[in-house]
């Protein structure tokens, strides 16, 4: 079952449409440096801003702050990861500029076509 329906076709997006449902490994391989910066910026920036804010105008006991930060950092890194995945997915769908991804996609497609197809039997699978 597809998790995304009614995606526009190649004619209705401003950039080249690559794939409707890329898997997570593919999306991570196609991360740009700006995606890594998004993850790091959100993951470090928000907890740092909240820690500075807490130092300027304290609302909690200072001993509670490390426990709160221990929860905040993984939470915001996950948020940054979601934003990076969204940006990459928009490039796959052709909603954002994707010249680099389109070139990589075509290079991989020609490489896959040049390799012989080997059908694995059921006993060979692990």
């Amino acid at each position: 079952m597809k998790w995304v329906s009614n995606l526009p076709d190649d004619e209705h997006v401003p950039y080249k449409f690559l794939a409707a449902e890329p898997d997570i490994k593919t999306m991570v391989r196609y991360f740009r440096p700006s995606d890594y910066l998004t993850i790091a910026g959100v993951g470090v920036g928000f907890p740092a801003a909240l820690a500075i804010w807490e130092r300027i105008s304290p609302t909690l006991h200072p001993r509670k702050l490390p426990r709160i930060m221990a929860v905040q950092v993984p939470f915001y890194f996950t948020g940054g990861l979601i934003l990076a995945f969204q940006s990459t997915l928009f490039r796959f769908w052709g909603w954002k500029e994707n010249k680099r991804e389109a070139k990589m996609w075509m290079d991989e497609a020609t490489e896959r076509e040049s390799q012989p197809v080997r059908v694995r039997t059921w006993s060979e699978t692990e």
Side-chain angles (χ1 to χ4, degrees):
M1 179 175 169
K2 290 186 179 267
W3 57 276
V4 177
S5 63
N6 70 356
L7 278 176
D9 53 358
D10 246 350
E11 300 167 357
H12 297 94
V13 291
Y15 302 103
K16 183 167 177 53
F17 182 85
L18 300 178
E21 296 179 1
D23 59 346
I24 291 177
K25 285 182 185 179
T26 304
M27 290 176 68
V28 170
R29 274 190 303 130
Y30 282 79
F31 271 2
R32 290 184 177 184
S34 62
D35 296 329
Y36 291 111
L37 264 161
T38 299
I39 296 168
V42 171
V44 173
F46 278 101
L50 290 169
I52 292 169
W53 191 3
E54 186 63 31
R55 297 285 183 209
I56 293 171
S57 176
T59 58
L60 300 169
H61 193 278
R63 288 186 179 177
K64 290 186 180 181
L65 192 60
R67 283 184 250 161
I68 292 171
M69 294 301 282
V71 173
Q72 281 184 359
V73 171
F75 178 77
Y76 282 111
F77 266 109
T78 304
L81 191 64
I82 290 170
L83 284 175
F85 275 125
Q86 179 184 19
S87 179
T88 304
L89 191 60
F90 284 174
R91 287 193 294 269
F92 270 97
W93 288 347
W95 294 355
K96 290 177 79 176
E97 188 276 319
N98 64 357
K99 186 184 292 185
R100 176 182 166 264
E101 286 80 7
K103 183 181 181 312
M104 288 173 61
W105 189 263
M106 289 302 153
D107 291 345
E108 289 178 5
T110 55
E111 183 180 315
R112 281 190 300 260
E113 288 174 3
S114 66
Q115 294 176 350
V117 177
R118 181 176 177 269
V119 179
R120 294 173 63 180
T121 61
W122 197 78
S123 62
E124 291 177 343
T125 59
E126 297 180 56

